[in-house]
Amino acid sequence: MFLTSIVIAVVGVFLLLMIASFVSGYSLPGMILTRLYNTVGPYVVAIITGIILFTISFFILTQRSIRYLEEINIALKNISQGNLETRVNIKSRDELGELAQNINLMAEQLKQLIEEERNAEKTKNELVTSVSHDLRTPLTSILGYLGLIVNDKYKDELVLRYYIDIAYNKAQTLKKLIDELFEFTKISYGGIKVNLDRINIVELLEQLAEEFVPILDENGMEYRLTLPENKIYVKADGGLLVRVFENLLSNAITYGKEGKYVDIQLENENNETIVSIINYGETIPEMDLKYIFDRFYRVEKSRSQDTGGTGLGLSIAKNIVELHEGKITAFSQNGKTMFQVKLKSLLEE
Ligand SMILES: Nc1ncnc2c1ncn2[C@@H]1O[C@H](COP(=O)(O)OP(=O)(O)O)[C@@H](O)[C@H]1O
Ligand SMILES: [Mg+2]
């Protein structure tokens, strides 16, 4: 602004000098100018004109900026009162224009942050609602059967035993749900510390597969392991990574019993580690596949068969994989269901 006013003043003086040389002597302004020139000298005239022009243009320009500043001030007040839709017009490319732009950016980011916060709040509320429902179901059943026992409402020892069994199983379901819920909230709401290590994923999968042998046997199943020749390392929290594959493997057993085999495959492609856990048998319907990683989501069939699941396993797995900046996907077609975990490989040292 200051510079602009000086430029205007200098240009003004030049113009005045030019005009003066053209009109001198012929007209009234010319006569006045000539007079002034003769009495105080051309330099003084030039300096005085310069100062006058500078003051006028500086005044006009600052007035405009002050009005713009007032506009920005009103917008800021509006934003601070919570009207996050308020935006300032960008009128110039100078510092004030930049200020206006930054204020608009700030308002936009504030708006987004508040929306995210609201969504998180909504998700938490939904979680509480569905959890209360899921906790109440087994609890009601436990209380029902224990009530029968307490009030001696059973025919004989055999019936008593039967009631106790049901109550015990339901109590176990309840414990599983509470454990998984605890794990889920810990992982999803940032309450977990990820300890990254250099993990030999070949070894991890070999060990895990062996640990699953008893459960596989129990269900008349076998694992088939396909591993690459060389070692593959990833940067991960070993304990958390094990949880992912445990969840996938126990699903493959629970939902793939009739398929007899669980395939565990490991590949390394373009510095990406890909672990695939595959089971055979009935496929997951296409319409369910996209919700499979949502918390509490269970395919209708597993719900009605009462496999005792909580619908949290896959969302826990997904959260853990995402904590490692990886990706988890599900495919289910022609009797083959495959869950794939992709992680960035560590380069060989
Ligand atoms: N390997 C699989 N084969 C078929 N269906 C599966 C498989 N894994 C998961 N599902 C389906 O996805 C649902 C969600 O899985 P999950 O989140 O582990 O919950 P849960 O096993 O406790 O039900 C399961 O209820 C089941 O319907
Ligand atoms: Mg599961």
Side-chain angles (χ1 to χ4, degrees), residues 201 205 223-228 232 245 249 262-268 273-280 336 338-341:
I201 192 133
L205 288 177
Y223 73 77
R224 294 187 299 201
L225 202 55
T226 315
L227 299 171
I232 299 179
F245 298 126
L249 284 171
V262 175
D263 288 335
I264 305 167
Q265 297 170 354
L266 174 64
E267 294 157 272
N268 187 27
T273 299
I274 308 170
V275 181
S276 314
I277 312 267
I278 305 162
N279 63 274
Y280 303 89
K336 179 176 167 184
M338 172 162 83
F339 283 83
Q340 235 173 21
V341 175

Side-chain angles (χ1 to χ4, degrees), residues 4-250:
T4 325
S5 307
I6 288 183
V7 170
I8 291 175
V10 171
V11 171
V13 171
F14 262 110
L15 279 177
L16 186 86
L17 290 177
M18 276 173 67
I19 293 168
S21 62
F22 272 119
V23 298
S24 56
Y26 298 114
S27 58
L28 185 67
M31 271 157 64
I32 297 171
L33 271 175
T34 328
R35 253 278 166 70
L36 270 173
Y37 267 46
N38 293 337
T39 45
V40 289
Y43 293 116
V44 181
V45 174
I47 289 169
I48 292 174
T49 330
I51 290 173
I52 293 171
L53 278 174
F54 173 81
T55 319
I56 293 172
S57 53
F58 191 72
F59 181 75
I60 293 171
L61 284 175
T62 28
Q63 270 313 96
R64 259 181 48 197
S65 296
I66 287 171
R67 269 201 301 275
Y68 193 26
L69 258 177
E70 272 165 10
E71 205 178 301
I72 291 175
N73 196 21
I74 291 170
L76 260 179
K77 230 185 233 164
N78 261 333
I79 292 169
S80 71
Q81 281 164 356
N83 300 320
L84 298 179
E85 303 293 334
T86 312
R87 295 290 177 273
V88 193
N89 282 331
I90 306 208
K91 287 185 181 164
S92 56
R93 285 220 225 123
D94 57 3
E95 290 86 348
L96 283 184
E98 212 172 300
L99 178 69
Q101 223 165 2
N102 284 335
I103 288 172
N104 288 349
L105 201 72
M106 178 194 75
E108 185 57 42
Q109 280 171 348
L110 261 175
K111 199 175 128 203
Q112 272 176 18
L113 241 127
I114 287 180
E115 251 161 46
E116 272 169 31
E117 193 60 36
R118 275 195 197 129
N119 279 343
E121 188 63 30
K122 201 169 136 230
T123 326
K124 264 190 197 168
N125 287 342
E126 281 168 11
L127 184 75
V128 171
T129 317
S130 43
V131 165
S132 327
H133 173 263
D134 279 31
L135 289 177
R136 199 184 298 141
T137 319
L139 197 61
T140 310
S141 166
I142 293 169
L143 282 173
Y145 285 101
L146 289 182
L148 290 175
I149 297 169
V150 168
N151 297 317
D152 293 327
K153 290 204 175 127
Y154 52 91
K155 258 201 326 246
D156 50 34
E157 197 80 354
L158 212 67
V159 176
L160 170 69
R161 183 87 224 160
Y162 174 66
Y163 289 172
I164 291 174
D165 267 356
I166 296 179
Y168 180 69
N169 284 335
K170 293 285 173 193
Q172 266 181 334
T173 308
L174 199 60
K175 178 170 186 308
K176 195 171 150 201
L177 177 61
I178 291 169
D179 285 348
E180 287 206 342
L181 203 61
F182 187 61
E183 195 178 2
F184 174 79
T185 41
K186 220 166 55 176
I187 291 168
S188 326
Y189 299 115
I192 194 139
K193 214 172 148 250
V194 185
N195 296 312
L196 294 177
D197 270 324
R198 189 174 133 96
I199 304 278
N200 179 346
I201 192 133
V202 178
E203 219 170 77
L204 183 138
L205 288 177
E206 276 173 339
Q207 275 176 15
L208 202 62
E210 269 315 301
E211 280 168 31
F212 266 82
V213 167
I215 314 170
L216 284 162
D217 273 350
E218 233 173 76
N219 289 281
M221 297 179 85
E222 269 176 54
Y223 73 77
R224 294 187 299 201
L225 202 55
T226 315
L227 299 171
E229 299 275 297
N230 52 328
K231 288 180 181 170
I232 299 179
Y233 291 95
V234 289
K235 197 170 184 177
D237 184 314
L240 288 177
L241 213 52
V242 164
R243 285 295 291 131
V244 173
F245 298 126
E246 270 176 0
N247 281 349
L248 296 181
L249 284 171
S250 46

